[in-house]
Amino acid sequence: MIFLLRRLGFYFAAFMVAITLNFLLPRLMPGDPTTRIFASLRGKLRPEQLDVLREAYGLDGSLLDQYLNYLWALLHLDFGISTVHYPEPTADLLFYAAGWTLFLVGVAIALSFAIGILMGIYSAWHRGGFFDSVFTPINVMMNAFTPAVVALLLWYAFTMQWTIFPLGRAHDINLTPGWNLASAGNIAWHAVLPVLSIVLVNFGSWHLGMRNTMINLLNEDFVVLARAKGLSDRRIRNRYVARNAILPQITSLALSVGYVFGGAFIAEVVFNYPGLGKFTLNAIESRDYTFIQAQLTLLTCSVLVANLISDVCNVVLDPRLRRAGGH
Amino acid sequence: MQTFLTNRKAVAGLVILAIFIVMSALAPILAPHDPYRRAGKPHVQPGFEHVLGTTRQGKDVFSQLLEGGRTSLTVGFIAGISATLIGLGVGISAGYFGGKIDEVLTFFVNVVLVLPAMPLIIVLASFVEEASPTIIGLVLAVTGWGWTARTIRTQTMAIKSREFVLAAELMGERKWRIILREILPNMSSFVVGGFVLATIYGILAEAALEFIGLGSPSSVTWGTMLYWAQRAQALQVGAWWEIWPPAVAIMLTGAALVLINFGVDEITSPQLRAARIGGRIKRFLKRRGRSVDVF
């Protein structure tokens, strides 16, 4: 309990640092949204009107005033109005994009985790065997493979060479997504390649992580004791070794789940997927402060929450933490 | 060092990496054409005139590959070295001095670890419009030192309680001298491991940033080569030679570094090395009709 309270304190402090950064970073970038709009209208806007625009976007006043306003708005979950997609509220855009990203990257991470962990258990248990000696080096290579190339090649092979999958987007243009079978099928069909492109570069590190942790555990005394007690291999593998080896993997899983909201920039760019990555890039290009801030805030919160969940999981799964109450 | 050189994986990685470093260091001499200028017709197939063909803009791919290696490896190493130095400094100070210093530093390490790196890098990189490769390298270092710092801190705390450090302290050695002479040499494998990982991260992240168009498109790196290849729809028009060379180069460099890291890992935790020998013993005994399940 003390352990969790200490962590909660840390997460709050980290949250404050993060949202302050989220506020400062976009403002430190050269150019602001209003000058972009001013430039894009090519002189149709008088300088006085620019001031009005600044005021409307809450960009007037000192940096401290703006910061306090920002904190106050944040407290009310008010993310402001997008300066690019005016007058659309930023929150609407954000949740639209977040929905697609959550689906795309969520499925991809779940798949790579499951595949990687199972492969890791198998190859650690049959160390030096055929499977281990073939897949471990392959995964080393996949680990080093650039996501960009994997995505491009998949895209080229399956949409250009063999026109099996659609060229991009999350669903057909004339389809209005809804909770029905036809719609779900269409969306799933569009997601196959982007998901595959993320899974291919990711499952290797789960495999390697699980394999190495398991190998280290196999030589521990408690495993030797379990063998001496004559427990079945299956039980030793699943209940003794795998269960312990999965702890550090869960911590990293929590982290990557947090990163879901970072968006899969490369997959989204290559497959023209309407997720957070694509929206963020557009927002950065057009200096849409409100969207960048909102996106970074969403991301920070999700990473922190994911970390908190992993802490709780660890406390539940690892009795030592419960008893010690410290780090 | 000797154990390192007898490790096959590490040696293979070192050899591949060395080839890339030498080739890109000699780029100005080896490159047959100016990588920044038009050298022939657009999308010429690989052949006698252009070893790896030309890009849509008629630039020589082979020359670009060499020149790109220069920038990409430099960015990777800048990121790797800076991240390792920051991590080392923070980690050792936190681990050795302990107390309040440790608490404050550990807080920052945890914040860096928890903050989402990639979007932060993207925002940071777009600070400067068309960020140069060096700036990208430094930005990557700022966000990538957390893990090194954490490992080094734990390691420092372990070494700190050993007899020889205590002896040095009792002899009244100065603190920075103890850190440099007693503690640092005992952490070389962790430092190398952290450096290798930070460098891989640097090279891959740079390529990703350039690919989504956040670098400076006028510079020649493996990342911008991929960016232009995608922009020129190289695959659609069948110009595979515009995509494959930078892709394979990034992959091989990454794989080389991963292999080196494997070597370092096997040296620091002997169980992983025993795995190979264990497999051999097992096979040996199996051939004699015996099965063992010790390893």
Side-chain angles (χ1 to χ4, degrees):
Chain A
M1 209 51 220
I2 300 166
F3 170 74
L4 282 181
L5 281 178
R6 277 186 60 138
R7 294 301 286 168
L8 268 178
F10 163 73
Y11 288 132
F12 180 73
F15 178 72
M16 288 313 290
V17 173
I19 57 171
T20 308
L21 269 180
N22 295 350
F23 170 80
L24 285 176
L25 280 179
R27 267 152 248 262
L28 287 170
M29 295 197 296
D32 70 24
T34 47
T35 43
R36 287 284 157 131
I37 294 169
F38 189 72
S40 70
L41 290 177
R42 288 167 221 274
K44 277 184 220 145
L45 216 62
R46 286 196 308 282
E48 309 90 81
Q49 286 172 307
L50 193 64
D51 291 335
V52 178
L53 210 57
R54 280 226 171 87
E55 205 185 318
Y57 287 142
L59 292 170
D60 54 338
S62 71
L63 210 56
L64 186 69
D65 286 343
Q66 287 187 41
Y67 181 60
L68 292 177
N69 282 337
Y70 159 79
L71 286 184
W72 185 245
L74 208 60
L75 208 61
H76 296 84
L77 291 177
D78 171 13
F79 290 115
I81 288 163
S82 163
T83 49
V84 175
H85 302 268
Y86 190 85
E88 198 130 15
T90 301
D92 288 4
L93 286 172
L94 194 70
F95 290 136
Y96 172 76
W100 288 115
T101 296
L102 186 62
F103 165 63
L104 181 71
V105 193
V107 171
I109 287 184
L111 277 178
S112 16
F113 184 77
I115 298 172
I117 293 298
L118 290 178
M119 283 175 80
I121 294 176
Y122 189 84
S123 79
W125 198 251
H126 301 276
R127 200 163 13 139
F130 176 75
F131 183 87
D132 187 35
S133 34
V134 169
F135 276 96
T136 309
I138 287 183
N139 280 342
V140 175
M141 298 296 272
M142 288 308 286
N143 227 344
F145 222 114
T146 11
V149 177
V150 175
L152 276 180
L153 287 180
L154 281 177
W155 181 82
Y156 174 68
F158 292 104
T159 70
M160 301 295 294
Q161 279 308 87
W162 311 295
T163 46
I164 304 174
F165 291 103
L167 275 168
R169 301 175 164 274
H171 52 78
D172 283 339
I173 304 180
N174 47 20
L175 178 104
T176 331
W179 297 105
N180 57 60
L181 216 58
S183 179
N186 191 288
I187 290 169
W189 195 239
H190 279 76
V192 173
L193 287 183
V195 164
L196 196 60
S197 78
I198 303 173
V199 170
L200 279 179
V201 282
N202 273 317
F203 78 93
S205 57
W206 296 115
H207 172 195
L208 291 179
M210 188 66 186
R211 172 185 179 269
N212 288 356
T213 326
M214 263 191 70
I215 287 177
N216 281 327
L217 281 175
L218 280 173
N219 297 340
E220 296 270 336
D221 291 343
F222 72 92
V223 180
V224 179
L225 177 70
R227 280 192 206 286
K229 283 200 289 189
L231 295 180
S232 73
D233 269 4
R234 215 186 124 111
R235 193 177 164 84
I236 295 175
R237 187 185 63 206
N238 296 343
R239 296 296 298 273
Y240 281 64
V241 188
R243 188 188 153 111
N244 280 302
I246 216 163
L247 279 174
Q249 317 302 324
I250 286 181
T251 312
S252 0
L253 177 69
L255 268 176
S256 46
V257 169
Y259 288 123
V260 163
F261 288 108
F265 285 93
I266 285 176
E268 285 174 12
V269 166
V270 171
F271 295 101
N272 197 17
Y273 211 82
L276 284 168
K278 249 191 116 230
F279 273 78
T280 308
L281 282 179
N282 290 340
I284 284 175
E285 250 161 51
S286 44
R287 301 286 182 267
D288 189 347
Y289 285 3
T290 48
F291 190 88
I292 303 175
Q293 272 167 13
Q295 148 71 353
L296 288 177
T297 308
L298 174 71
L299 181 55
T300 320
C301 289
S302 59
V303 173
L304 292 178
V305 168
N307 268 282
L308 189 64
I309 291 174
S310 101
D311 280 345
V312 174
C313 278
N314 276 325
V315 170
V316 171
L317 289 172
D318 188 345
R320 278 172 304 181
L321 280 176
R322 239 175 300 163
R323 233 175 295 128
H327 261 50
Chain B
M1 198 62 206
Q2 212 139 41
T3 33
F4 190 70
L5 289 180
T6 51
N7 186 297
R8 267 188 299 169
K9 286 178 195 158
V11 171
L14 275 181
V15 169
I16 302 175
L17 192 64
I19 293 174
F20 273 105
I21 292 177
V22 169
M23 298 251 306
S24 45
L26 296 179
I29 306 167
L30 290 177
H33 299 277
D34 183 344
Y36 295 94
R37 294 232 166 85
R38 182 179 288 272
K41 291 198 184 93
H43 280 162
V44 175
Q45 287 208 359
F48 187 69
E49 183 65 21
H50 300 283
V51 189
L52 289 174
T54 63
T55 69
R56 166 94 169 269
Q57 296 149 311
K59 292 172 184 166
D60 184 58
V61 174
F62 181 63
S63 309
Q64 285 209 319
L65 189 71
L66 294 177
E67 180 70 17
R70 253 173 119 84
T71 11
S72 286
L73 290 177
T74 313
V75 171
F77 285 126
I78 288 179
I81 292 171
S82 332
T84 312
L85 285 180
I86 303 175
L88 195 62
V90 173
I92 287 198
S93 319
Y96 185 74
F97 295 114
K100 277 271 173 286
I101 297 181
D102 182 30
E103 258 173 52
V104 173
L105 289 179
T106 306
F107 173 75
F108 279 108
V109 173
N110 286 338
V111 169
V112 168
L113 282 176
V114 164
L115 283 186
M118 202 58 186
L120 204 65
I121 293 168
I122 288 172
V123 176
L124 280 172
S126 51
F127 250 92
V128 196
E129 265 165 289
E130 303 199 346
S132 75
T134 323
I135 289 177
I136 289 189
L138 289 176
V139 168
L140 291 173
V142 170
T143 51
W145 55 272
W147 282 113
T148 316
R150 181 173 271 190
T151 338
I152 297 289
R153 172 176 170 269
T154 323
Q155 206 50 32
T156 309
M157 296 199 326
I159 296 175
K160 192 185 155 188
S161 56
R162 299 261 293 274
E163 296 87 355
F164 60 90
V165 178
L166 205 67
E169 270 170 356
L170 289 176
M171 278 164 66
E173 288 269 22
R174 259 177 258 171
K175 288 208 152 123
W176 60 267
R177 220 183 133 79
I178 296 178
I179 288 178
L180 287 180
R181 298 293 295 271
E182 310 290 341
I183 295 180
L184 200 58
N186 283 297
M187 287 197 300
S188 43
S189 61
F190 289 90
V191 176
V192 174
F195 166 72
V196 169
L197 284 180
T199 309
I200 301 175
Y201 167 72
I203 289 175
L204 290 181
E206 185 248 6
L209 283 178
E210 309 263 8
F211 178 75
I212 53 180
L214 282 169
S216 147
S218 57
S219 63
V220 174
T221 75
W222 290 338
T224 50
M225 286 175 76
L226 286 175
Y227 169 77
W228 285 114
Q230 200 222 1
R231 285 285 298 267
Q233 306 198 307
L235 283 177
Q236 288 93 308
V237 299
W240 51 268
W241 57 87
E242 204 180 338
I243 292 251
W244 278 108
V248 171
I250 294 172
M251 198 195 75
L252 279 179
T253 314
L257 286 163
V258 172
L259 284 173
I260 295 175
N261 189 48
F262 261 41
V264 176
D265 264 359
E266 284 182 1
I267 291 159
T268 40
S269 81
Q271 277 111 325
L272 294 178
R273 193 169 17 157
R276 212 176 62 209
I277 306 163
R280 269 189 210 146
I281 295 173
K282 209 165 156 184
R283 252 172 282 146
F284 175 69
L285 289 173
K286 243 185 199 156
R287 251 182 281 140
R288 305 184 157 222
R290 231 174 279 174
S291 99
V292 277
D293 240 40
V294 184
F295 287 97

PDB file of all heavy atoms in Angstrom, chain B residues 113-135:
ATOM      1  N   LEU B 113      11.794   8.270 -18.327  1.00  0.00           N
ATOM      2  CA  LEU B 113      11.359   6.937 -18.732  1.00  0.00           C
ATOM      3  C   LEU B 113       9.858   6.890 -19.014  1.00  0.00           C
ATOM      4  O   LEU B 113       9.402   6.164 -19.887  1.00  0.00           O
ATOM      5  CB  LEU B 113      11.692   5.917 -17.642  1.00  0.00           C
ATOM      6  CG  LEU B 113      13.147   5.482 -17.596  1.00  0.00           C
ATOM      7  CD1 LEU B 113      13.380   4.554 -16.429  1.00  0.00           C
ATOM      8  CD2 LEU B 113      13.517   4.785 -18.890  1.00  0.00           C
ATOM      9  N   VAL B 114       9.111   7.683 -18.257  1.00  0.00           N
ATOM     10  CA  VAL B 114       7.659   7.618 -18.384  1.00  0.00           C
ATOM     11  C   VAL B 114       7.156   8.496 -19.532  1.00  0.00           C
ATOM     12  O   VAL B 114       6.199   8.158 -20.207  1.00  0.00           O
ATOM     13  CB  VAL B 114       7.002   8.027 -17.043  1.00  0.00           C
ATOM     14  CG1 VAL B 114       5.547   8.346 -17.235  1.00  0.00           C
ATOM     15  CG2 VAL B 114       7.153   6.905 -16.029  1.00  0.00           C
ATOM     16  N   LEU B 115       7.848   9.606 -19.772  1.00  0.00           N
ATOM     17  CA  LEU B 115       7.398  10.490 -20.851  1.00  0.00           C
ATOM     18  C   LEU B 115       7.493   9.763 -22.183  1.00  0.00           C
ATOM     19  O   LEU B 115       8.486   9.129 -22.478  1.00  0.00           O
ATOM     20  CB  LEU B 115       8.262  11.757 -20.902  1.00  0.00           C
ATOM     21  CG  LEU B 115       7.972  12.800 -19.860  1.00  0.00           C
ATOM     22  CD1 LEU B 115       8.805  14.047 -20.155  1.00  0.00           C
ATOM     23  CD2 LEU B 115       6.504  13.176 -19.860  1.00  0.00           C
ATOM     24  N   PRO B 116       6.457   9.872 -22.986  1.00  0.00           N
ATOM     25  CA  PRO B 116       6.465   9.200 -24.280  1.00  0.00           C
ATOM     26  C   PRO B 116       7.485   9.834 -25.225  1.00  0.00           C
ATOM     27  O   PRO B 116       7.405  11.029 -25.495  1.00  0.00           O
ATOM     28  CB  PRO B 116       5.049   9.421 -24.790  1.00  0.00           C
ATOM     29  CG  PRO B 116       4.514  10.548 -24.005  1.00  0.00           C
ATOM     30  CD  PRO B 116       5.226  10.587 -22.713  1.00  0.00           C
ATOM     31  N   ALA B 117       8.434   9.043 -25.680  1.00  0.00           N
ATOM     32  CA  ALA B 117       9.568   9.599 -26.407  1.00  0.00           C
ATOM     33  C   ALA B 117       9.222  10.078 -27.820  1.00  0.00           C
ATOM     34  O   ALA B 117       9.497  11.213 -28.179  1.00  0.00           O
ATOM     35  CB  ALA B 117      10.690   8.585 -26.455  1.00  0.00           C
ATOM     36  N   MET B 118       8.592   9.202 -28.589  1.00  0.00           N
ATOM     37  CA  MET B 118       8.473   9.502 -30.023  1.00  0.00           C
ATOM     38  C   MET B 118       7.725  10.801 -30.339  1.00  0.00           C
ATOM     39  O   MET B 118       8.263  11.643 -31.055  1.00  0.00           O
ATOM     40  CB  MET B 118       7.839   8.296 -30.729  1.00  0.00           C
ATOM     41  CG  MET B 118       8.141   8.244 -32.213  1.00  0.00           C
ATOM     42  SD  MET B 118       9.924   8.212 -32.528  1.00  0.00           S
ATOM     43  CE  MET B 118       9.946   8.328 -34.301  1.00  0.00           C
ATOM     44  N   PRO B 119       6.519  11.012 -29.783  1.00  0.00           N
ATOM     45  CA  PRO B 119       5.835  12.268 -30.086  1.00  0.00           C
ATOM     46  C   PRO B 119       6.621  13.479 -29.592  1.00  0.00           C
ATOM     47  O   PRO B 119       6.662  14.513 -30.246  1.00  0.00           O
ATOM     48  CB  PRO B 119       4.514  12.153 -29.324  1.00  0.00           C
ATOM     49  CG  PRO B 119       4.370  10.738 -28.997  1.00  0.00           C
ATOM     50  CD  PRO B 119       5.709  10.147 -28.928  1.00  0.00           C
ATOM     51  N   LEU B 120       7.297  13.289 -28.448  1.00  0.00           N
ATOM     52  CA  LEU B 120       8.104  14.372 -27.902  1.00  0.00           C
ATOM     53  C   LEU B 120       9.226  14.723 -28.877  1.00  0.00           C
ATOM     54  O   LEU B 120       9.492  15.887 -29.175  1.00  0.00           O
ATOM     55  CB  LEU B 120       8.687  13.921 -26.568  1.00  0.00           C
ATOM     56  CG  LEU B 120       9.054  15.038 -25.622  1.00  0.00           C
ATOM     57  CD1 LEU B 120       7.810  15.778 -25.203  1.00  0.00           C
ATOM     58  CD2 LEU B 120       9.755  14.481 -24.394  1.00  0.00           C
ATOM     59  N   ILE B 121       9.873  13.664 -29.412  1.00  0.00           N
ATOM     60  CA  ILE B 121      10.938  13.882 -30.384  1.00  0.00           C
ATOM     61  C   ILE B 121      10.396  14.615 -31.598  1.00  0.00           C
ATOM     62  O   ILE B 121      11.016  15.538 -32.119  1.00  0.00           O
ATOM     63  CB  ILE B 121      11.525  12.533 -30.843  1.00  0.00           C
ATOM     64  CG1 ILE B 121      12.235  11.865 -29.683  1.00  0.00           C
ATOM     65  CG2 ILE B 121      12.478  12.731 -31.990  1.00  0.00           C
ATOM     66  CD1 ILE B 121      12.590  10.439 -29.973  1.00  0.00           C
ATOM     67  N   ILE B 122       9.203  14.200 -32.016  1.00  0.00           N
ATOM     68  CA  ILE B 122       8.632  14.815 -33.216  1.00  0.00           C
ATOM     69  C   ILE B 122       8.394  16.304 -32.995  1.00  0.00           C
ATOM     70  O   ILE B 122       8.746  17.132 -33.826  1.00  0.00           O
ATOM     71  CB  ILE B 122       7.334  14.086 -33.616  1.00  0.00           C
ATOM     72  CG1 ILE B 122       7.716  12.715 -34.178  1.00  0.00           C
ATOM     73  CG2 ILE B 122       6.538  14.874 -34.624  1.00  0.00           C
ATOM     74  CD1 ILE B 122       6.558  11.808 -34.434  1.00  0.00           C
ATOM     75  N   VAL B 123       7.835  16.627 -31.818  1.00  0.00           N
ATOM     76  CA  VAL B 123       7.614  18.041 -31.527  1.00  0.00           C
ATOM     77  C   VAL B 123       8.951  18.773 -31.420  1.00  0.00           C
ATOM     78  O   VAL B 123       9.149  19.843 -31.995  1.00  0.00           O
ATOM     79  CB  VAL B 123       6.793  18.200 -30.233  1.00  0.00           C
ATOM     80  CG1 VAL B 123       6.646  19.661 -29.890  1.00  0.00           C
ATOM     81  CG2 VAL B 123       5.432  17.567 -30.392  1.00  0.00           C
ATOM     82  N   LEU B 124       9.908  18.146 -30.692  1.00  0.00           N
ATOM     83  CA  LEU B 124      11.221  18.769 -30.531  1.00  0.00           C
ATOM     84  C   LEU B 124      11.903  18.976 -31.879  1.00  0.00           C
ATOM     85  O   LEU B 124      12.513  20.011 -32.130  1.00  0.00           O
ATOM     86  CB  LEU B 124      12.115  17.903 -29.638  1.00  0.00           C
ATOM     87  CG  LEU B 124      11.909  17.995 -28.130  1.00  0.00           C
ATOM     88  CD1 LEU B 124      12.728  16.940 -27.433  1.00  0.00           C
ATOM     89  CD2 LEU B 124      12.306  19.375 -27.629  1.00  0.00           C
ATOM     90  N   ALA B 125      11.789  17.956 -32.744  1.00  0.00           N
ATOM     91  CA  ALA B 125      12.484  18.036 -34.028  1.00  0.00           C
ATOM     92  C   ALA B 125      11.873  19.121 -34.911  1.00  0.00           C
ATOM     93  O   ALA B 125      12.570  19.709 -35.741  1.00  0.00           O
ATOM     94  CB  ALA B 125      12.440  16.691 -34.748  1.00  0.00           C
ATOM     95  N   SER B 126      10.581  19.402 -34.702  1.00  0.00           N
ATOM     96  CA  SER B 126       9.974  20.408 -35.550  1.00  0.00           C
ATOM     97  C   SER B 126      10.130  21.807 -34.980  1.00  0.00           C
ATOM     98  O   SER B 126       9.709  22.793 -35.563  1.00  0.00           O
ATOM     99  CB  SER B 126       8.493  20.098 -35.765  1.00  0.00           C
ATOM    100  OG  SER B 126       7.876  19.887 -34.541  1.00  0.00           O
ATOM    101  N   PHE B 127      10.762  21.910 -33.800  1.00  0.00           N
ATOM    102  CA  PHE B 127      11.247  23.174 -33.250  1.00  0.00           C
ATOM    103  C   PHE B 127      11.933  23.996 -34.287  1.00  0.00           C
ATOM    104  O   PHE B 127      11.690  25.144 -34.520  1.00  0.00           O
ATOM    105  CB  PHE B 127      12.401  22.848 -32.306  1.00  0.00           C
ATOM    106  CG  PHE B 127      12.134  23.049 -30.909  1.00  0.00           C
ATOM    107  CD1 PHE B 127      11.654  21.993 -30.162  1.00  0.00           C
ATOM    108  CD2 PHE B 127      12.362  24.241 -30.319  1.00  0.00           C
ATOM    109  CE1 PHE B 127      11.443  22.151 -28.845  1.00  0.00           C
ATOM    110  CE2 PHE B 127      12.144  24.393 -28.987  1.00  0.00           C
ATOM    111  CZ  PHE B 127      11.681  23.343 -28.239  1.00  0.00           C
ATOM    112  N   VAL B 128      12.945  23.320 -34.849  1.00  0.00           N
ATOM    113  CA  VAL B 128      13.754  23.957 -35.859  1.00  0.00           C
ATOM    114  C   VAL B 128      13.160  23.449 -37.147  1.00  0.00           C
ATOM    115  O   VAL B 128      13.048  22.259 -37.328  1.00  0.00           O
ATOM    116  CB  VAL B 128      15.184  23.439 -35.773  1.00  0.00           C
ATOM    117  CG1 VAL B 128      16.103  24.340 -36.518  1.00  0.00           C
ATOM    118  CG2 VAL B 128      15.596  23.265 -34.343  1.00  0.00           C
ATOM    119  N   GLU B 129      12.759  24.372 -37.998  1.00  0.00           N
ATOM    120  CA  GLU B 129      12.215  23.883 -39.250  1.00  0.00           C
ATOM    121  C   GLU B 129      13.331  23.224 -40.031  1.00  0.00           C
ATOM    122  O   GLU B 129      14.438  23.759 -40.128  1.00  0.00           O
ATOM    123  CB  GLU B 129      11.554  25.024 -40.013  1.00  0.00           C
ATOM    124  CG  GLU B 129      10.062  25.019 -39.696  1.00  0.00           C
ATOM    125  CD  GLU B 129       9.357  26.284 -40.081  1.00  0.00           C
ATOM    126  OE1 GLU B 129       9.597  27.295 -39.402  1.00  0.00           O
ATOM    127  OE2 GLU B 129       8.587  26.252 -41.036  1.00  0.00           O
ATOM    128  N   GLU B 130      13.080  22.047 -40.573  1.00  0.00           N
ATOM    129  CA  GLU B 130      14.069  21.252 -41.278  1.00  0.00           C
ATOM    130  C   GLU B 130      15.290  21.021 -40.396  1.00  0.00           C
ATOM    131  O   GLU B 130      16.382  21.513 -40.665  1.00  0.00           O
ATOM    132  CB  GLU B 130      14.473  21.924 -42.585  1.00  0.00           C
ATOM    133  CG  GLU B 130      13.271  22.154 -43.467  1.00  0.00           C
ATOM    134  CD  GLU B 130      13.658  22.371 -44.916  1.00  0.00           C
ATOM    135  OE1 GLU B 130      14.859  22.600 -45.161  1.00  0.00           O
ATOM    136  OE2 GLU B 130      12.786  22.298 -45.774  1.00  0.00           O
ATOM    137  N   ALA B 131      15.096  20.269 -39.327  1.00  0.00           N
ATOM    138  CA  ALA B 131      16.162  19.987 -38.377  1.00  0.00           C
ATOM    139  C   ALA B 131      17.319  19.259 -39.060  1.00  0.00           C
ATOM    140  O   ALA B 131      17.097  18.324 -39.820  1.00  0.00           O
ATOM    141  CB  ALA B 131      15.623  19.129 -37.246  1.00  0.00           C
ATOM    142  N   SER B 132      18.531  19.719 -38.766  1.00  0.00           N
ATOM    143  CA  SER B 132      19.700  19.064 -39.349  1.00  0.00           C
ATOM    144  C   SER B 132      19.923  17.737 -38.633  1.00  0.00           C
ATOM    145  O   SER B 132      19.462  17.539 -37.518  1.00  0.00           O
ATOM    146  CB  SER B 132      20.920  19.954 -39.192  1.00  0.00           C
ATOM    147  OG  SER B 132      21.353  19.910 -37.858  1.00  0.00           O
ATOM    148  N   PRO B 133      20.646  16.799 -39.287  1.00  0.00           N
ATOM    149  CA  PRO B 133      20.889  15.495 -38.667  1.00  0.00           C
ATOM    150  C   PRO B 133      21.507  15.587 -37.269  1.00  0.00           C
ATOM    151  O   PRO B 133      21.135  14.829 -36.376  1.00  0.00           O
ATOM    152  CB  PRO B 133      21.836  14.822 -39.648  1.00  0.00           C
ATOM    153  CG  PRO B 133      21.511  15.428 -40.958  1.00  0.00           C
ATOM    154  CD  PRO B 133      21.131  16.837 -40.673  1.00  0.00           C
ATOM    155  N   THR B 134      22.430  16.533 -37.057  1.00  0.00           N
ATOM    156  CA  THR B 134      23.065  16.664 -35.746  1.00  0.00           C
ATOM    157  C   THR B 134      22.034  16.994 -34.679  1.00  0.00           C
ATOM    158  O   THR B 134      22.026  16.420 -33.592  1.00  0.00           O
ATOM    159  CB  THR B 134      24.122  17.785 -35.755  1.00  0.00           C
ATOM    160  OG1 THR B 134      24.780  17.765 -37.001  1.00  0.00           O
ATOM    161  CG2 THR B 134      25.088  17.618 -34.628  1.00  0.00           C
ATOM    162  N   ILE B 135      21.140  17.935 -35.019  1.00  0.00           N
ATOM    163  CA  ILE B 135      20.112  18.322 -34.042  1.00  0.00           C
ATOM    164  C   ILE B 135      19.216  17.130 -33.725  1.00  0.00           C
ATOM    165  O   ILE B 135      18.901  16.868 -32.561  1.00  0.00           O
ATOM    166  CB  ILE B 135      19.285  19.504 -34.586  1.00  0.00           C
ATOM    167  CG1 ILE B 135      20.169  20.753 -34.568  1.00  0.00           C
ATOM    168  CG2 ILE B 135      18.025  19.723 -33.759  1.00  0.00           C
ATOM    169  CD1 ILE B 135      19.533  21.965 -35.135  1.00  0.00           C
TER     170      ILE B 135
END
